[in-house]
Amino acid sequence: MQTERLAQFSKFGKKIICIARNYLDHAKELGNAVPSEPVFFLKPTTAYLQPGAGAIKIPPGCSNLHFEVELGVVIGKPGSNIPESTALDFVGGYTLAIDMTARDLQEKAKKKGHPWSIAKGFDTSCPVGHFIAKDVIKDPSNVHLWLRVNEESQLRQDGNTSDMIFKIPTIISYISSFMTLEEGDLILTGTPSGVGPVKSGDVITAGLAELAEIKVPVE
Ligand SMILES: O=C(O)/C=C/C(=O)CC(=O)C(=O)O
Ligand SMILES: [Mg+2]
């Protein structure tokens, strides 16, 4: 895969696959059971908000919009039924992502047993950073993830991928046993604890250690 194609993963990728409840403290803060196997859902690629491409738009009917900072894994080559032992060979690189969530719409959907598509998949619900080449992150299972709102001195999210319940090889292997992974697909690997609301006029700054930082306003 050409580096320049990977660098534009969002133009070529067909799927954004998101892992849910992958950090113990986050599952607990939302009162969810700890999953015994990975739980995932999809966002459409129209959810992407590229770096510097504008603001997060609050979807209609939402009055509790949450941020969730996450490590994104960009798939570098197609595969299905990928064994855990070779799963990392399918990683093309990484990115920083925020899984914006209309928490009130999600709660409403959960109560009715409906899918989370609106709560998780609205336009601008997936702000991302630039592509990070695979060799820049030597150990993706030990990366600092952080998020700040406005100029607050206290970070709202301050986690590490070492706390993931299901690690990247398990996630790739599990997803690919159901759906073929394609070049440029993006997997969001779940969020650590500290998720919370933002309102119109706030600015979210999020980072992956010192490797990536994005600043996104909320419209
Ligand atoms: O189960 C819930 O109430 C909420 C789950 C999420 O929003 C899951 C995630 O997107 C995540 O854990 O990152
Ligand atoms: Mg999430």
Side-chain angles (χ1 to χ4, degrees):
M1 182 187 222
Q2 299 289 317
T3 306
E4 55 274 24
R5 288 198 74 192
L6 266 181
Q8 297 168 30
F9 61 93
S10 61
K11 286 201 183 129
F12 296 96
K14 300 180 182 76
K15 300 187 279 303
I16 304 171
I17 306 156
C18 309
I19 301 292
R21 307 171 184 169
N22 200 25
Y23 288 76
L24 198 56
D25 287 352
H26 172 60
K28 278 192 195 155
E29 75 183 345
L30 292 186
N32 291 314
V34 178
S36 54
E37 53 193 8
V39 174
F40 67 89
F41 58 90
L42 298 175
K43 285 181 191 270
T45 51
T46 44
Y48 276 124
L49 181 61
Q50 293 296 332
I56 296 163
K57 293 189 174 66
I58 302 175
C62 172
S63 52
N64 192 17
L65 180 66
H66 274 203
F67 50 76
E68 297 186 356
V69 68
E70 309 200 8
L71 172 66
V73 174
V74 183
I75 296 297
K77 61 179 182 181
S80 56
N81 295 312
I82 300 167
E84 285 188 26
S85 56
T86 60
L88 289 179
D89 298 344
F90 290 77
V91 175
Y94 302 93
T95 194
L96 168 64
I98 308 177
D99 172 15
M100 294 304 300
T101 304
R103 194 69 72 198
D104 46 358
L105 305 187
Q106 186 188 37
E107 285 305 316
K108 215 192 268 183
K110 278 167 70 179
K111 282 197 185 108
K112 292 182 178 166
H114 289 176
W116 300 353
S117 308
I118 294 173
K120 290 286 197 178
F122 59 91
D123 288 355
T124 72
S125 63
C126 192
V128 288
H130 293 289
F131 175 75
I132 302 169
K134 184 177 181 177
D135 57 0
V136 171
I137 299 188
K138 300 276 182 257
D139 183 5
S141 63
N142 184 11
V143 183
H144 182 211
L145 279 171
W146 58 271
L147 185 142
R148 183 186 306 284
V149 177
N150 301 325
E151 301 300 318
E152 292 172 4
S153 55
Q154 193 79 16
L155 292 176
R156 296 283 194 97
Q157 290 192 269
D158 188 7
N160 193 292
T161 57
S162 58
D163 291 323
M164 281 183 193
I165 298 169
F166 301 104
K167 308 293 182 200
I168 293 167
T170 308
I171 291 171
I172 289 176
S173 176
Y174 185 80
I175 295 171
S176 75
S177 70
F178 297 99
M179 326 181 159
T180 299
L181 288 170
E182 299 162 285
E183 179 183 333
D185 282 352
L186 176 67
I187 302 174
L188 304 195
T189 53
T191 195
S193 62
V195 301
V198 279
K199 56 182 185 331
S200 178
D202 284 344
V203 176
I204 300 173
T205 309
L208 263 188
E210 312 287 309
L211 301 169
E213 185 174 311
I214 53 175
K215 206 180 246 304
V216 204
V218 181
E219 190 170 290

